[in-house]
Amino acid sequence: MSGTDNTSAARDALIALRAEVGKAVVGNDATVTGLIIALLCRGHVLVEGVPGVAKTLLVRALATALDLGTSRIQFTPDLMPGDVTGSLVYDARSGEFSFREGPVFTNLLLADEINRTPPKTQSALLEAMEERQVSVDGRPRALPDPFIVIATQNPVEYEGTYPLPEAQLDRFLFKLTVPLPSREDELGVLARHAQGFDPRDLPAAGVRPVAGAEQLAAARAAVAGVTVGPEVLGYIVDLCRATRTMPAVRLGVSPRGATALLAATRAWAWLSGRGFATPDDVKALARPALRHRLDLRPEAELEGATADGVVDRVLATVPVPR
């Protein structure tokens, strides 16, 4: 199979992921697309939505449709860092300590309700997310490749939660919001349950692995070849710099945010079947790539300002290259 055929097969496999996830989750195509882009970029994703909108089911369906190792951590107030990364365990027979890997040693990690655990445990993910390794007893241990964290959180219930610090939020490529479904989609959900759909048994719903490490590696290599012209690079920089001067913003998007938007733009262009990126690709991904990197002024929030509103304002005011 030629390189072009490999690339086409990889694109078809990743696009097929949407159809497989759709067997278990009604709607949410934009969220699924965001997760696929994150896979292409080796990026982590924060998924936010009120309880009951299928955040966890969405990620579980994606994991089932991928031929990759997956694990899930339910974050709770009593979770310890070693419960995430693993720990040294004493072997009485050999008289030595051996390392027992934690659930972080996987390809796709679902961190459910990440804001329910204290900062000490949240920070255990920092090195893993940024360096793709964990250090235990002074020794670094590499994580598998690919390694992606998909974390969920509830945006409305803050009692007993620990908001993620800016340093950790910045490690996420995207912050995706899962909205309440439309009436048509909600009817579709009920119809599936009326027909016997069991969200705990995804294989019974017909969800099968359609992409694996080989297709993902070929896709990432192809994404790296997507051309980004100087005018598109300049547009990304201008958008990020504009957030730093908005009156409602205390801290704007960092250069890391600009590189994240660039990576996502290339991945979206490739998924769309093009070998070059356009300003429209940048605009399509600006919200999920930038919203969680903005620190708004408290007085602006009291007046109703939102991160999405700031991004929309920047998109409306920064000139689009032609």
Side-chain angles (χ1 to χ4, degrees):
M1 186 179 290
S2 68
T4 302
D5 291 338
N6 277 333
T7 299
S8 297
R11 184 185 291 110
D12 291 343
L14 290 171
I15 292 174
L17 277 176
R18 280 186 287 201
E20 287 300 304
V21 174
K23 294 178 181 178
V25 181
V26 178
N28 287 319
D29 288 344
T31 306
V32 176
T33 299
L35 293 174
I36 293 172
I37 291 173
L39 285 169
L40 292 172
C41 299
R42 293 184 173 87
H44 311 294
V45 181
L46 181 63
V47 182
E48 188 174 87
V50 299
V53 292
K55 298 186 300 297
T56 302
L57 176 61
L58 180 68
V59 180
R60 286 181 52 240
L62 179 70
T64 304
L66 285 167
D67 188 16
L68 297 173
T70 64
S71 61
R72 175 179 179 270
I73 305 174
Q74 181 66 51
F75 280 82
T76 57
D78 61 347
L79 198 72
M80 299 298 291
D83 298 327
V84 176
T85 61
S87 56
L88 294 175
V89 178
Y90 182 71
D91 187 339
R93 287 175 296 181
S94 65
E96 297 178 349
F97 284 93
S98 61
F99 179 66
R100 180 177 297 170
E101 294 183 348
V104 76
F105 284 85
T106 189
N107 299 120
L108 182 63
L109 175 66
L110 170 57
D112 220 349
E113 295 189 287
I114 191 173
N115 57 337
R116 291 256 170 228
T117 201
K120 183 177 182 180
T121 305
Q122 289 176 1
S123 65
L125 275 178
L126 272 177
E127 182 187 15
M129 291 171 66
E130 185 67 17
E131 305 294 338
R132 265 64 178 184
Q133 66 176 27
V134 296
S135 296
V136 177
D137 194 33
R139 177 185 167 189
R141 292 173 166 85
L143 295 173
D145 182 39
F147 170 70
I148 295 167
V149 174
I150 303 178
T152 70
Q153 69 175 16
N154 176 356
V156 295
E157 186 182 350
Y158 291 108
E159 185 175 352
T161 63
Y162 305 85
L164 294 173
E166 286 77 6
Q168 186 152 356
L169 282 173
D170 208 30
R171 261 78 176 176
F172 288 99
L173 175 78
F174 284 159
K175 178 181 177 182
L176 303 175
T177 56
V178 182
L180 288 167
S182 65
R183 185 178 188 276
E184 182 181 350
D185 285 344
E186 197 162 356
L187 282 171
V189 171
L190 293 188
R192 291 190 181 191
H193 281 265
Q195 295 165 6
F197 171 70
D198 183 358
R200 290 170 292 276
D201 189 2
L202 294 178
V207 182
R208 298 286 185 269
V210 295
E214 182 180 348
Q215 289 87 354
L216 200 53
R220 286 172 171 173
V223 168
V226 171
T227 302
V228 185
E231 68 285 350
V232 177
L233 290 176
Y235 185 49
I236 292 173
V237 169
D238 291 342
L239 287 176
C240 294
R241 291 180 66 85
T243 65
R244 303 169 198 165
T245 59
M246 295 293 286
V249 176
R250 179 167 56 185
L251 184 63
V253 177
S254 69
R256 178 187 284 150
T259 61
L261 182 53
L262 170 62
T265 296
R266 298 175 83 171
W268 176 238
W270 179 81
L271 267 181
S272 301
R274 285 180 279 104
F276 59 92
T278 69
D280 285 340
D281 297 327
V282 178
K283 294 171 73 173
L285 297 170
R287 266 194 176 194
L290 303 183
R291 57 164 61 112
H292 56 297
R293 306 176 195 274
L294 297 171
D295 185 13
L296 301 185
R297 298 184 187 277
E299 59 271 23
E301 290 186 281
L302 290 173
E303 293 172 359
T306 64
D308 280 357
V310 169
V311 175
D312 289 345
R313 178 64 178 161
V314 166
L315 288 172
T317 55
V318 173
V320 180
R322 299 299 178 189

